[in-house]
Amino acid sequence: MLLHPQRCIGSPCYQTLPCPKLYKIFYSLDAQIAKRTIKDCEAPNIRGENRYCATSLESLVDFVITKFGKKVQALANEAEKENKEQECTILKGIKMIGDNQMVCHKMRYAYAVFYCHTINATAYTIPLEGVDGSKAKAVAVCHADTSAWNPKHLAFQILKVKPGGPPICHFLDSDTIVWVPN
């Protein structure tokens, strides 16, 4: 992952980035992915959400500090060893992290971009054991209020539910960071 100092990026506003120049660097698929990242970052907040796309390590930390102060904890998925995808068993010891967190997702782009947002959800750490005996700790979130979500969201299609229905819970990707106040 390539993180640029903020002074190299300039303004975190994507409208000021030289996007057409970046698109020429990418192949067509990469250009479409980069355009999607920009679209996601420039989209308006949904109700109950506060979002920001961090384009440098400094801007990521600054955003977290403005929301929670300097006493924060960063959580992410942990594994004893990197291994292949496999079936896992949930072990005893699920811990609620809390319902006041910020989630930062690594986006696909020419350099590191994190899509950070505060959400109305409860976060958990969940101990897992793979069929090969390896242990991991995964972070999951449960969204209690999905009434403001896009009805075409993939979660609704997979679970065959509608916005405002039952809570939607999911594990977070390995390149996602969850920030919580201490």
Side-chain angles (χ1 to χ4, degrees):
M1 169 179 12
L2 178 62
L3 278 170
H4 291 283
Q6 189 165 359
R7 68 182 183 284
C8 296
I9 304 301
S11 169
C13 177
Y14 281 88
Q15 292 149 348
T16 64
L17 291 178
C19 297
K21 291 179 186 176
L22 286 176
Y23 293 154
K24 289 179 185 177
I25 296 171
F26 297 126
Y27 292 102
S28 174
L29 178 59
D30 289 333
Q32 293 303 314
I33 292 167
K35 286 179 185 177
R36 178 66 196 198
T37 294
I38 293 168
K39 182 179 176 184
D40 289 346
C41 286
E42 292 180 343
N45 291 345
I46 62 171
R47 187 187 58 200
E49 178 188 56
N50 185 3
R51 73 170 71 170
Y52 175 73
C53 281
T55 57
S56 70
L57 183 58
E58 292 95 334
S59 66
L60 173 64
V61 171
D62 288 346
F63 185 64
V64 171
I65 288 171
T66 62
K67 298 299 170 198
F68 296 135
K70 292 183 179 180
K71 295 186 179 188
V72 294
Q73 182 179 10
L75 301 165
N77 294 337
E78 302 172 18
E80 286 180 345
K81 60 182 180 179
E82 197 169 317
N83 53 30
K84 64 184 184 307
E85 188 174 310
Q86 60 180 307
E87 295 283 323
C88 289
T89 302
I90 296 175
L91 304 174
K92 291 182 180 180
I94 295 173
K95 294 181 183 170
M96 186 175 88
I97 298 169
D99 55 8
N100 182 23
Q101 76 275 335
M102 179 185 311
V103 178
C104 295
H105 306 274
K106 169 76 173 69
M107 302 295 283
R108 292 175 65 186
Y109 203 67
Y111 52 84
V113 173
F114 280 90
Y115 172 86
C116 299
H117 58 136
T118 56
I119 52 174
N120 180 17
T122 304
Y124 300 88
T125 56
I126 302 174
L128 303 170
E129 183 175 15
V131 291
D132 68 357
S134 62
K135 299 228 185 326
K137 190 182 295 182
V139 179
V141 294
C142 291
H143 303 268
D145 181 8
T146 59
S147 60
W149 288 20
N150 182 333
K152 294 179 182 176
H153 192 286
L154 183 61
F156 298 136
Q157 296 171 32
I158 292 171
L159 299 172
K160 297 182 181 8
V161 296
K162 295 183 179 183
I168 293 181
C169 301
H170 62 92
F171 288 103
L172 297 178
D173 291 332
S174 60
D175 56 2
T176 299
I177 305 166
V178 178
W179 298 90
V180 293
N182 278 342

